[in-house]
């Protein structure tokens, strides 16, 4: 049986003894890996892993494998591992469409492996990571740029999925789950308390971690410097209980569209929601769905709803009372947390809250854990906030995980705070910042506040401000400089001209960046897929396909910037938006489903890959017979991108120059024919108003034999 006493708390990085810190990280890895596997013992049989709990998510076999492949993919990317364990699984389980929109279903077919196969893979990952922890130099500094940070990233990532996978298991049909002693729920319940309001005084405070001295592992959005100034307000003494929410249900709250915001009403119609998702009708009464069973409704437990339902309840409460009830902002939640005397640090064990899996594997009565004058400021269930997530000043992405937060800076993801009964490690820290789509179900409820709306909520950036992304927006969608034609369009035109008279059904743009060539190819191809490793880049492609425009800032000089906006309509591309799709992917380890193309475009890609030979050896089977491969590259080999041993050219071989074109022939000639002489195509990237990169890329066209 699982040792429930194992602590899943985040590791303190300021330990004076590097050997002790190594041991703490090693225990955190093993305990988290073991606890995660124990969660899946709640599933009953192979079919339970393959049937989707809800249409908007992958089946659970994906999540069983995903956290293990995350370790290997990140460690390979960081150069800490040189060999993969299973490239097929590490591609299949790497990234995929998760719940981004309630009306965007992922019906992609995957040939999922067996549970036994995934378990064998996980065993190998456990062995590999444990050995790496043992052989790495002891961590004198385990901060942002340390190899140990990558291991901590994998540990905390798995703790996130411990929670999100538990929600999916909770949404699974009961025939697919079974109870387990390691996941026994709370059995306490009694009359629900009458909620009241607690005065929270005005205060000013600073939020944000220091990247140079983090103290604990943190995700990118936690770093920066935010000064909060909060006016006095009142907060609910308790989380909203099932009993308190029942008043809203019985008052017809789900039938009254005037209480729902437009997005929430659309979700309610789609979901046909009439009550909270985890409530189950039982004749004239109710039961509550837990992880693996249904129990008589514990009316004194916190209600679990999505953000739309929480908003509607507050609107109803405001109408009934005439008081300005609403959800708290992020700054107001921290004001409550500070008023309750809760520090941003790991809790003692056992925790004085329903958190860190220190107690039962479920919620509990809202009256159990007092925190100052409030209850459940942390723990029990997450608390929805009014604030859409946004970056603190000084925000920066970690180079090994650039898509942890950036896809959520869209105004559609609201923050949740406080953690739930299963929140462990970083999730349990008050300084953590997690955000989900407003229709999303987590173990989440809410606490209302009464107070005038804040003067201004933090707004998501209307203009893209990431320097590299903005430069590529201009490179793809902006002005031409020094009479050099638009590079992505030029490559698309070359490819289309070479395909004249041949099928043009599907095309793949690998390394698509912000997507101009993807859209240009769609003028002629029936379907075009754009793939890039950077989620920041493909987010621009998604935005253009959905909204038809992109805005960004460019540096002019020093702190001076200029603002730019471009639309698909400017280029006559508005009618092809429905023909393009964008995905995040690793060109050196693409998913097996990306095959059957008439054209593959690889623009300025091969000299930025960590294993270009692998990409080139793999690319032929992704093309249809007679398919075309266009490679464009300036051949600027750098060890920061590609280990010297993996360059395919640009060095002396047997005393003679061996160019990248020589390397391309060596790798491709067996399966391809070079159908045109190489040609040079220039491009210009603007850095500032008076500084530009002027580069020449060599273009080669290869036809599959």
């Amino acid at each position: 049986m699982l040792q429930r006493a194992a602590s899943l708390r985040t590791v303190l990085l300021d330990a004076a003894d590097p050997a002790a810190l190594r041991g703490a990280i090693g225990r955190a890895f093993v305990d988290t890996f073991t606890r995660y596997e124990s969660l899946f013992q709640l599933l009953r049989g192979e079919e339970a892993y393959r049937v989707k709990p809800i249409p908007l998510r992958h089946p659970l076999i994906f999540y069983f494998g995903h956290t293990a492949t995350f370790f290997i993919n990140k460690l390979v990317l960081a150069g800490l591992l040189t060999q993969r364990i299973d490239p097929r699984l590490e591609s299949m389980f790497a990234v995929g469409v998760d719940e981004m929109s309630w009306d965007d279903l992922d019906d992609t077919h995957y040939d999922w492996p067996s549970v036994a196969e995934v378990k064998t893979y996980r065993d190998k990952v456990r062995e590999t990571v444990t050995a790496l922890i043992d052989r790495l130099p002891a961590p004198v500094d385990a901060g942002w740029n340390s190899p140990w940070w990558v291991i901590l990233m994998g540990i905390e990532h798995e703790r996130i999925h411990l929670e999100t996978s538990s929600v999916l298991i909770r949404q699974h049909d009961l025939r697919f789950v079974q109870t387990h002693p390691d996941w026994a729920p709370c059995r306490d319940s009694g009359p629900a308390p009458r909620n009241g309001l607690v005065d929270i005084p005005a205060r000013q405070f600073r939020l944000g971690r220091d990247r140079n001295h983090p103290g604990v592992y943190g995700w990118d959005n936690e770093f920066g410097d935010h000064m909060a100034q909060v006016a006095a307000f009142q907060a609910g003494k308790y989380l909203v209980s099932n009993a308190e929410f029942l008043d809203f249900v019985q008052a017809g709250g789900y039938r009254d569209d005037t209480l729902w915001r437009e997005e929430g009403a659309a979700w309610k119609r789609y979901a046909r929601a009439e009550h909270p998702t985890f409530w189950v009708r039982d004749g004239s009464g109710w039961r509550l769905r837990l992880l693996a069973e249904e129990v008589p409704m514990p009316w004194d437990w916190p209600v679990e709803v999505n953000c739309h339902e929480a908003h509607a309840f507050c609107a109803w409460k405001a109408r009934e009372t005439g008081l300005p009830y609403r959800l708290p902002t992020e700054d107001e939640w921290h004001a409550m947390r500070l008023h309750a005397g809760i520090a941003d640090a790991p809790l003692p064990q056992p925790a004085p809250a329903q958190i860190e899996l220190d107690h039962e594997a479920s919620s509990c009565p809202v009256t159990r854990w007092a925190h100052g004058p409030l209850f459940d400021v942390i723990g029990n269930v997450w608390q929805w906030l009014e604030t859409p997530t946004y970056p603190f000043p000084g925000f920066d992405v970690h180079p090994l995980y650039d898509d942890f937060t950036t896809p959520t800076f869209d105004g559609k993801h609201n923050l949740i705070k406080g953690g739930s009964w299963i929140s462990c490690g970083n999730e349990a820290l008050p300084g953590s910042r997690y955000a989900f789509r407003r229709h999303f179900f987590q173990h989440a409820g809410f606490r209302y506040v009464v107070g005038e709306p804040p003067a201004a909520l933090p707004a998501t950036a209307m203009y893209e401000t990431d320097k590299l992304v903005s430069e590529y927006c201009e490179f793809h969608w902006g002005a031409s400089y020094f009479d050099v034609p638009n590079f992505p369009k030029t490559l698309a035109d070359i490819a289309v001209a070479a395909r004249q008279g041949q099928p043009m059904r599907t095309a793949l743009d690998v390394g698509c960046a912000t997507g101009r060539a993807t859209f240009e190819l769609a003028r002629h191809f029936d379907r075009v897929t754009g793939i890039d490793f950077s989620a920041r880049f493909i987010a621009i492609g998604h935005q253009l396909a959905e909204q038809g425009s992109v805005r960004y800032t460019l540096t002019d000089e020093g702190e001076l910037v200029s603002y730019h906006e471009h639309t698909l309509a400017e280029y006559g591309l508005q009618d092809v938006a429905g023909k393009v799709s964008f995905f995040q992917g690793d060109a050196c380890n693409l998913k097996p489903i990306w095959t059957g193309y008439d054209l593959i475009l690889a623009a300025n890609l091969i000299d930025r890959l960590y294993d270009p030979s692998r990409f080139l050896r793999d690319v032929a089977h992704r093309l249809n017979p007679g398919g075309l491969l266009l490679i464009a590259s300036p051949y600027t080999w750098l060890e920061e991108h590609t280990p010297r041993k993996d360059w395919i050219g640009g060095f002396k071989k047997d005393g003679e120059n061996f160019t990248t074109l020589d390397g391309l022939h060596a790798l491709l000639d067996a399966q391809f024919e070079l159908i045109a002489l190489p040609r040079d195509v220039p491009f210009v990237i603007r850095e500032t108003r008076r500084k530009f990169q002027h580069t020449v890329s060599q273009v080669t066209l290869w036809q599959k034999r």
Side-chain angles (χ1 to χ4, degrees):
M1 182 179 292
L2 183 72
Q3 295 298 312
R4 291 292 300 274
S7 174
L8 301 182
R9 280 156 177 71
T10 199
V11 177
L12 293 173
L13 303 182
D14 295 332
D17 182 1
L21 182 53
R22 182 207 301 274
I25 294 173
R27 287 190 298 276
F29 166 70
V30 171
D31 289 350
T32 303
F33 211 76
T34 301
R35 188 65 165 159
Y36 189 74
E37 290 182 348
S38 81
L39 177 69
F40 287 81
Q41 294 178 27
L42 291 165
L43 298 180
R44 188 194 301 272
E46 193 92 14
E47 188 181 5
Y49 285 83
R50 298 178 179 278
V51 175
K52 290 184 177 185
I54 59 173
L56 302 176
R57 306 293 292 273
H58 284 310
L60 283 155
I61 190 68
F62 172 86
Y63 301 98
F64 190 44
H66 170 64
T67 58
T69 62
F70 182 94
F71 275 104
I72 302 306
N73 287 329
K74 296 303 182 188
L75 292 170
V76 168
L77 187 61
L80 297 174
L81 293 179
T82 58
Q83 297 293 324
R84 292 187 171 276
I85 294 175
D86 188 324
R88 180 177 71 93
L89 295 186
E90 285 149 11
S91 173
M92 179 181 293
F93 292 141
V95 292
V97 175
D98 218 336
E99 185 165 6
M100 295 299 292
S101 173
W102 50 260
D103 55 359
D104 177 21
L105 304 185
D106 175 25
D107 292 323
T108 307
H109 172 72
Y110 293 96
D111 183 17
W112 299 112
S114 68
V115 176
E117 185 178 355
V118 178
K119 181 58 170 69
T120 298
Y121 175 82
R122 287 187 61 89
D123 291 343
K124 293 177 181 177
V125 172
R126 182 192 290 260
E127 180 181 345
T128 299
V129 177
T130 300
L132 179 64
I133 290 171
D134 288 342
R135 73 170 182 268
L136 277 176
V140 176
D141 173 19
W144 178 273
N145 296 312
S146 163
W148 291 93
W149 194 263
V150 187
I151 296 172
L152 291 165
M153 180 185 292
I155 294 168
E156 295 291 359
H157 171 264
E158 189 158 50
R159 289 169 175 171
I160 293 172
H161 280 282
L162 178 69
E163 178 151 354
T164 56
S165 295
S166 75
V167 178
L168 288 177
I169 290 173
R170 192 176 179 186
Q171 293 174 295
H172 224 354
D173 192 293
L174 277 175
R175 66 192 174 97
F176 292 128
V177 298
Q178 58 192 353
T179 59
H180 192 281
D182 290 335
W183 295 93
C186 176
R187 302 296 181 188
D188 295 340
S189 179
R194 182 177 179 84
N195 214 341
L197 295 172
V198 174
D199 291 329
I200 307 297
R203 66 191 308 153
Q204 184 175 342
F205 49 90
R206 177 189 175 278
L207 298 175
R209 302 195 190 284
D210 182 349
R211 196 172 289 107
N212 295 317
H213 304 285
V216 292
Y217 179 86
W219 297 107
D220 53 11
N221 61 351
E222 299 169 30
F223 293 91
D225 192 2
H226 169 66
M227 288 303 301
Q229 187 155 355
V230 179
F233 63 98
Q234 293 180 302
K237 182 176 183 178
Y238 303 103
L239 299 174
V240 173
S241 67
N242 286 314
E244 189 172 7
F245 199 84
L246 178 65
D247 293 339
F248 169 74
V249 175
Q250 292 179 333
Y254 280 85
R255 299 189 298 273
D256 187 351
D257 280 357
T258 65
L259 298 172
W260 297 74
R261 301 180 185 185
E262 181 179 357
E263 180 189 339
W267 166 80
K268 178 168 62 75
R269 288 190 295 271
Y270 165 80
R272 299 178 180 177
E274 298 178 347
H275 53 77
T277 290
F278 298 115
W279 287 20
V280 180
R281 288 195 182 275
D282 182 18
S284 60
W286 297 94
R287 297 175 69 80
L288 182 66
R289 171 63 190 269
L290 304 182
L291 273 183
E293 60 184 295
E294 293 175 0
V295 298
M297 180 62 71
W299 293 111
D300 59 338
W301 289 18
V303 71
E304 293 170 86
V305 293
N306 66 22
C307 193
H308 298 313
E309 294 165 298
H311 277 148
F313 177 93
C314 289
W316 170 76
K317 189 83 171 174
R319 188 174 70 185
E320 292 293 301
T321 63
L323 297 175
Y325 279 84
R326 57 176 173 82
L327 296 181
T329 66
E330 180 181 23
D331 291 351
E332 287 171 335
W333 183 87
H334 279 287
M336 288 186 276
R337 187 259 300 180
L338 293 169
H339 188 59
I342 297 173
D344 182 24
L347 294 165
Q349 190 176 10
Q354 196 79 354
I355 202 166
E356 293 270 20
L357 280 173
D358 281 357
H359 309 287
E360 304 99 330
S362 74
S363 301
C364 69
V366 298
T367 54
R368 178 186 286 184
W369 298 107
H371 299 137
L374 303 168
F375 284 74
D376 292 322
V377 173
I378 58 172
N380 217 347
V381 293
W382 289 95
Q383 300 167 48
W384 283 105
L385 302 185
E386 188 64 40
T387 310
T389 189
Y390 68 100
F392 286 159
F395 167 82
D396 195 10
V397 298
H398 194 281
L400 296 180
Y401 200 176
D402 78 336
D403 60 326
F404 179 79
T405 304
T406 50
T408 67
F409 294 151
D410 58 1
K412 299 177 181 179
H413 292 72
N414 277 40
L415 285 159
I416 57 175
K417 299 295 288 187
S420 76
W421 55 269
I422 196 175
S423 299
C424 299
N426 172 269
E427 282 189 307
L429 296 178
S432 67
R433 303 181 78 219
Y434 294 90
F436 292 99
R437 289 289 293 262
R438 290 181 278 270
H439 68 274
F440 193 90
F441 286 102
Q442 195 71 352
H443 303 298
F446 66 104
R447 180 194 310 276
Y448 46 67
V449 300
V450 173
E452 295 304 317
L457 291 173
T460 54
M462 292 297 292
Y463 287 83
E464 175 60 61
T465 57
D466 182 289
K467 185 175 187 295
L468 180 63
V469 177
S470 293
E471 289 176 0
Y472 268 78
C473 286
E474 180 71 0
F475 177 34
H476 280 217
W477 299 100
S480 295
Y481 298 96
F482 308 109
D483 298 320
V484 175
N486 182 277
F487 181 71
K489 183 180 186 303
T490 298
L491 296 185
D493 290 345
I494 291 171
V496 168
R499 289 296 294 173
Q500 290 304 311
Q502 301 177 73
M504 286 193 280
R505 294 159 299 204
T506 58
L508 175 64
D509 183 6
V510 187
C512 64
T514 59
R516 178 64 182 273
T518 312
F519 284 94
E520 293 289 346
L521 290 171
R523 295 183 193 268
H524 306 275
F525 285 80
D526 298 332
R527 293 293 306 171
V528 185
T529 301
I531 295 177
D532 201 280
F533 188 78
S534 170
R536 292 174 291 167
F537 283 160
I538 63 170
I540 300 300
H542 279 300
Q543 179 180 329
L544 282 159
E546 293 177 1
Q547 303 174 19
S549 64
V550 62
R551 293 177 172 182
Y552 54 93
T553 62
L554 291 175
T555 300
D556 285 345
E557 58 178 275
E559 297 178 350
L560 303 179
V561 299
S562 55
Y563 298 87
H564 302 260
E565 180 177 6
H566 293 286
T567 67
L568 294 179
E570 286 178 52
Y571 307 106
L573 292 168
Q574 67 274 21
D575 294 334
V576 306
K579 299 166 65 176
V580 302
S581 302
F582 292 93
F583 298 93
Q584 186 186 18
D586 179 353
C588 298
N589 199 30
L590 291 173
K591 291 180 181 293
I593 60 173
W594 287 324
T595 57
Y597 296 103
D598 296 317
L599 167 72
I600 294 180
L601 172 64
N604 293 354
L605 176 72
I606 59 170
D607 57 351
R608 290 296 180 266
L609 299 178
Y610 62 84
D611 192 351
S613 295
R614 176 170 182 159
F615 167 72
L616 293 166
R617 287 192 297 265
D618 173 70
V619 74
H621 86 267
R622 300 183 184 278
L623 281 165
N624 295 325
L628 184 68
L629 170 65
L630 186 154
I631 296 175
S633 174
Y635 307 148
T636 50
W637 297 102
L638 296 170
E639 287 195 86
E640 64 187 86
H641 300 297
T642 313
R644 170 63 182 79
K645 65 182 179 60
D646 293 318
W647 294 2
I648 65 170
F651 50 79
K652 293 283 187 179
K653 183 177 181 180
D654 299 326
E656 302 294 334
N657 291 345
F658 191 81
T659 67
T660 304
L661 183 59
D662 294 329
L664 289 173
H665 275 292
L667 288 162
L668 297 177
D669 279 353
Q671 295 175 293
F672 289 90
E673 177 186 359
L674 185 66
I675 62 171
L677 292 174
R679 59 187 287 186
D680 287 342
V681 177
F683 63 89
V684 173
I685 295 179
R686 178 196 188 279
E687 293 187 20
T688 70
R689 183 181 291 277
R690 294 175 179 83
K691 183 183 178 186
F692 300 83
Q693 300 177 29
H694 188 173
T695 312
V696 177
S697 194
Q698 185 176 78
V699 175
T700 54
L701 289 164
W702 307 80
Q703 188 167 41
K704 183 176 176 180
R705 298 183 188 277

